Amino acid sequence: MREIWTLVEVSGEKILRASQEALCEAVRQGRQLRVRTTALVLGSRIPGQILERLGTFGPDRVLVVDNEAVSSFSPNAYTDALEQLLAAHKPDVLLMGSSVLSREVAPRLACRLGCGLVTEATFLNPQDDGFLVTRSAFRPHASMIVSFQRQGLQIITLAAKVMDVETAGPFSYAIEYVTQPLSFTSDTVRVEDTIKEISAHLDLTDAEVIVAGGRGMQSKDHFDLLDELAEVLGGAVGASRMAVDMKWRPKECMVGMTGKIVSPGLYVACGISGAIQHVMGMQSSETIVAINTDPHAPIFRIATLGIVGDVRDVLPVMIESFRKAGAEAERQEYSA
Amino acid sequence: MNETGLNIAVLVAPVHDCRNPVLIDPVRKQVDPSSLHWILNPPDTIALEQALRLRDRIPRSGVRVVSVAPPSTERVLRECLAVGADELARLWDERIEEADTHSIAALLAAVIRSGPVDLVLAGWRSADMEHAQTGSIVAELLGFPQITCARSVEPGRDPAHIRVEKRIPGCLLAMSCALPALVTVEKGPPLRYPRYSDRRNAWRTPIRGLDLRAIGLTEAPQSRLRVERMTPPKPRRRSAIGDGANMPVAARLQRIMAGGAQAKKETNVHRCPDRSSTLKVIEHILKERLVVLPEKSGNGR
């Protein structure tokens, strides 16, 4: 292996979280295997501070494609540009984060270049000529290990939130602009209209974090606490049947057999005893944090973490601490 | 677009219903096929419903279901006929047993090419393997424009276009695309429920299975990936951060034995409802990166 590339997606002045994870993994592997790592950014007039920030992740080179065609959401243009770049530079591995764009671009690219693609990888095991990739299958019942059968480029997209993001530095890196002329095929896919900005009110089934309340919340007013916590964590608010029956929450929020069946990364059950009808709707959540006054509540049987206590005492502390942690993370980002 | 309405092909895959466990052969390190519980891939059923709705709205249209699936899954595929698909083309050959996503897509594309087609619909990914590749590769192989992860598919402003809604973070896009095209579907109304008589008729309809020869191939497309082995997942991690978390293993074992299973279950329940225990939980959540605190927008440097 000589070179690992990472596709980095930038929106506005932010680097996509998934791309950061992919880049950090590439740098880690690159250091270990002593191969060159390249961060590839496509866009038009990308701000200089973004390129500088990419440097703090530690790639040997930041490669920039400055082109109007790839300035907005256009999988077709991305595919065309990447196809030509990869054919010209011939890196051994292309890593991508999991995103709306990479989901479409990666298979198209693999198809055009005649190379293998593994999506949603959770672990990369370096071999002589590439990676042996672990990914989940029949989730959550198995995982599989996949090898590439062809020489040449391997394209891998990484599952979200499995790789650590770390910045250290200062590193030495070079910023290069691609001078190679790129041609784009015409595409009949048009964006006619951007219908609406979806507000912070997330769909329950899509949310990665759900904060749910039940009878233990005691009154409608205390749901404000949940709203606040959900906002801090970037999640959605759910409710048990009890809370819906008491009209504390609309029916759309109900989690459980007759409501929505959800499977977020983190489920915070506040004042929910854990009746089986509710548990059916959320038991596949990755981590379940339960807060309840009754230490014998059935919710504690499935909870990963439990706090025996009153939600009215616990929630303000949680909100405050997460807020503090969030502010700290932001501060670190500034100094980075 | 021709005068006979819209010819819609829907890619449907039978998948394992992941609400049921799978058995993994500990010697061969592969999934035991007898443990698989087949259902129609849920995103594919949503695509099929969209196809049926389009057919209802555009006269003289037809829906053809295309699947690469072993004969043992014919039972679940019949559901497509029961809900009203006009034709079912099922391809299988012993030589494609170990095919990867790309070879499956190549076979699907070959079957689609064998008939007239204006629009190809598919689920955005399979519910068991979650590769999310097949639709995009089929579009590339057919040379069709594609829109992935659609929320709705509707007739366009003229018969040569379709209108598709798709969600990207932050907004919903209304897109249009010239036909022929391929659209993968993420969400939408659920598949209609068939009438009993339709279901009974579907049972009687003979299904002609295709093999490689029928689509003009002599051997299976070459796979680009190989599954080396399957493993059961690691057991669900239960982190103990309550009292006794840092206890030596022997002591903890002793305590569990003394308290029975109940004590074991409650190792991770924190019994002191004060500030410090909450902080511990929060610390744990942050350390394990269970949440990614959202970046505040609009604070560019």
Side-chain angles (χ1 to χ4, degrees):
Chain A
M1 228 192 299
R2 290 165 296 114
E3 190 161 3
I4 302 177
W5 278 26
T6 312
L7 177 69
V8 176
E9 288 173 51
V10 173
S11 92
E13 301 201 341
K14 274 191 278 184
I15 301 168
L16 209 72
R17 173 89 194 175
S19 299
Q20 296 181 19
E21 290 173 1
L23 182 54
C24 287
E25 177 63 13
V27 169
R28 268 193 297 273
Q29 295 282 0
R31 291 234 173 91
Q32 214 173 3
L33 303 166
R34 298 180 185 282
V35 298
R36 192 152 91 123
T37 48
T38 297
L40 175 66
V41 203
L42 288 81
S44 82
R45 292 188 295 279
I46 300 161
Q49 63 250 36
I50 290 245
L51 303 181
E52 269 167 43
R53 251 201 85 200
L54 281 177
T56 65
F57 292 106
D60 298 313
R61 172 167 78 146
V62 178
L63 196 58
V64 188
V65 175
D66 198 335
N67 198 314
E68 274 297 324
V70 286
S71 58
S72 61
F73 179 80
S74 56
N76 193 57
Y78 261 78
T79 314
D80 288 340
L82 284 168
E83 183 191 0
Q84 294 161 53
L85 286 172
L86 293 167
H89 292 262
K90 297 204 182 340
D92 300 280
V93 179
L94 175 66
L95 284 185
M96 300 188 199
S98 164
S99 71
V100 178
L101 188 76
S102 74
R103 238 177 252 150
E104 181 168 333
V105 169
R108 297 180 67 175
L109 209 50
C111 183
R112 288 191 194 175
L113 295 167
C115 59
L117 162 68
V118 180
T119 50
E120 300 289 308
T122 53
F123 184 73
L124 306 180
N125 184 4
Q127 306 287 307
D128 294 338
D129 52 351
F131 288 110
L132 207 56
V133 186
T134 307
R135 70 190 296 282
S136 70
F138 302 105
R139 204 158 51 140
H141 302 299
S143 57
M144 62 199 226
I145 294 168
V146 186
S147 65
F148 289 86
Q149 294 296 296
R150 289 192 183 183
Q151 295 289 323
L153 181 66
Q154 305 183 340
I155 304 181
I156 302 169
T157 74
L158 295 169
K161 287 198 265 176
V162 286
M163 304 299 177
D164 284 317
V165 172
E166 54 203 345
T167 51
F171 296 111
S172 62
Y173 61 95
I175 295 181
E176 278 177 37
Y177 282 83
V178 172
T179 47
Q180 175 189 350
L182 298 171
S183 60
F184 294 94
T185 55
S186 66
D187 189 18
T188 58
V189 177
R190 298 261 176 287
V191 176
E192 309 262 296
D193 194 8
T194 306
I195 294 179
K196 62 178 175 197
E197 294 291 319
I198 286 152
S199 67
H201 240 71
L202 263 168
D203 191 10
L204 267 185
T205 41
D206 287 345
E208 260 308 294
V209 175
I210 292 178
V211 187
R215 197 200 319 237
M217 296 304 294
Q218 304 202 348
S219 84
K220 191 172 179 168
D221 303 339
H222 294 135
F223 265 89
D224 293 349
L225 287 172
L226 290 189
D227 277 328
E228 214 176 329
L229 182 59
E231 193 203 313
V232 174
L233 297 177
V237 177
S240 73
R241 162 139 233 147
M242 224 27 241
V244 171
D245 283 351
M246 307 277 251
K247 304 246 158 60
W248 293 346
R249 276 275 142 182
K251 198 164 174 295
E252 294 83 62
C253 290
M254 186 157 83
V255 173
M257 255 165 87
T258 40
K260 294 223 166 80
I261 293 178
V262 298
S263 171
L266 176 68
Y267 189 94
V268 186
C270 309
I272 291 175
S273 68
I276 183 72
Q277 291 85 345
H278 182 77
V279 168
M280 292 284 283
M282 45 64 86
Q283 61 189 352
S284 53
S285 309
E286 222 157 280
T287 301
I288 299 165
V289 175
I291 308 168
N292 207 308
T293 43
D294 174 14
H296 300 292
I299 189 84
F300 286 125
R301 281 197 208 133
I302 60 153
T304 326
L305 297 162
I307 303 172
V308 180
D310 195 313
V311 282
R312 287 168 299 178
D313 304 331
V314 177
L315 283 179
V317 182
M318 280 194 143
I319 293 165
E320 186 195 330
S321 323
F322 279 125
R323 212 167 250 156
K324 219 187 282 166
E328 207 142 282
E330 210 165 292
R331 209 165 40 243
Q332 274 172 9
E333 212 160 275
Y334 270 100
S335 60
Chain B
M1 181 68 198
N2 54 40
E3 288 160 15
T4 57
L6 206 56
N7 294 306
I8 308 171
V10 186
L11 312 182
V12 174
V15 298
H16 170 68
D17 182 357
C18 286
R19 285 171 295 187
N20 302 301
V22 289
L23 293 180
I24 291 163
D25 188 329
V27 181
R28 290 190 309 120
K29 304 276 185 203
Q30 298 294 342
V31 167
D32 180 354
S34 66
S35 72
L36 296 180
H37 182 279
W38 296 105
I39 53 167
L40 290 180
N41 183 30
D44 292 349
T45 62
I46 293 171
L48 180 56
E49 177 62 30
Q50 293 286 0
L52 295 172
R53 286 183 185 210
L54 280 174
R55 187 187 63 178
D56 294 344
R57 287 172 67 171
I58 304 171
R60 295 186 302 282
S61 298
V63 173
R64 182 180 184 218
V65 170
V66 179
S67 184
V68 174
S72 58
T73 59
E74 212 160 75
R75 200 177 66 85
V76 294
L77 284 173
R78 275 180 199 277
E79 182 82 7
C80 303
L81 292 174
V83 293
D86 301 299
E87 192 194 335
L88 172 61
R90 183 186 62 80
L91 175 85
W92 189 250
D93 199 293
E94 275 173 11
R95 283 168 286 181
I96 57 180
E97 204 124 312
E98 301 217 326
D100 67 349
T101 330
H102 189 274
S103 348
I104 302 268
L107 295 169
L108 286 169
V111 178
I112 292 168
R113 264 195 221 107
S114 69
V117 62
D118 302 304
L119 175 65
V120 185
L121 292 178
W124 74 285
R125 68 172 183 189
S126 65
D128 57 353
M129 287 306 186
E130 302 182 341
H131 286 298
Q133 299 183 17
T134 315
S136 291
I137 300 176
V138 169
E140 277 291 320
L141 292 173
L142 294 171
F144 287 5
Q146 60 175 295
I147 299 176
T148 52
C149 299
R151 298 264 164 158
S152 77
V153 186
E154 279 165 30
R157 56 177 186 272
D158 57 64
H161 284 80
I162 44 158
R163 196 185 126 92
V164 172
E165 280 181 11
K166 171 191 170 109
R167 194 164 160 189
I168 64 171
C171 53
L172 195 63
L173 302 178
M175 305 173 90
S176 77
C177 181
L179 295 170
L182 180 142
V183 179
T184 70
V185 180
E186 185 184 11
K187 283 197 173 159
L191 184 61
R192 57 194 64 181
Y193 195 81
R195 282 199 304 248
Y196 177 64
S197 54
D198 290 344
R199 182 169 271 170
R200 208 174 44 185
N201 289 340
W203 270 107
R204 293 192 187 128
T205 315
I207 298 175
R208 196 167 63 95
L210 304 169
D211 59 4
L212 288 181
R213 247 208 342 257
I215 54 168
L217 293 177
T218 47
E219 58 183 316
Q222 206 187 357
S223 284
R224 298 173 177 187
L225 301 173
R226 194 163 75 111
V227 178
E228 292 292 327
R229 58 184 179 273
M230 305 281 272
T231 50
K234 294 189 189 81
R236 184 174 177 153
R237 198 171 39 165
R238 286 183 157 245
S239 348
I241 59 160
D243 44 323
N246 299 322
M247 226 187 251
V249 179
R252 196 155 68 224
L253 190 64
Q254 201 177 12
R255 194 170 80 162
I256 291 166
M257 304 276 279
Q262 197 57 39
K264 182 184 170 209
K265 269 180 192 155
E266 290 191 11
T267 41
N268 53 14
V269 173
H270 228 278
R271 277 188 175 282
C272 34
D274 59 7
R275 205 184 151 82
S276 72
S277 63
T278 309
L279 289 178
K280 264 190 204 166
V281 170
I282 289 163
E283 196 183 307
H284 179 85
I285 291 174
L286 290 174
K287 202 180 82 204
E288 295 288 323
R289 301 201 311 117
L290 300 175
V291 289
V292 176
L293 295 171
E295 291 174 36
K296 298 271 186 314
S297 51
N299 61 351
R301 278 163 291 173

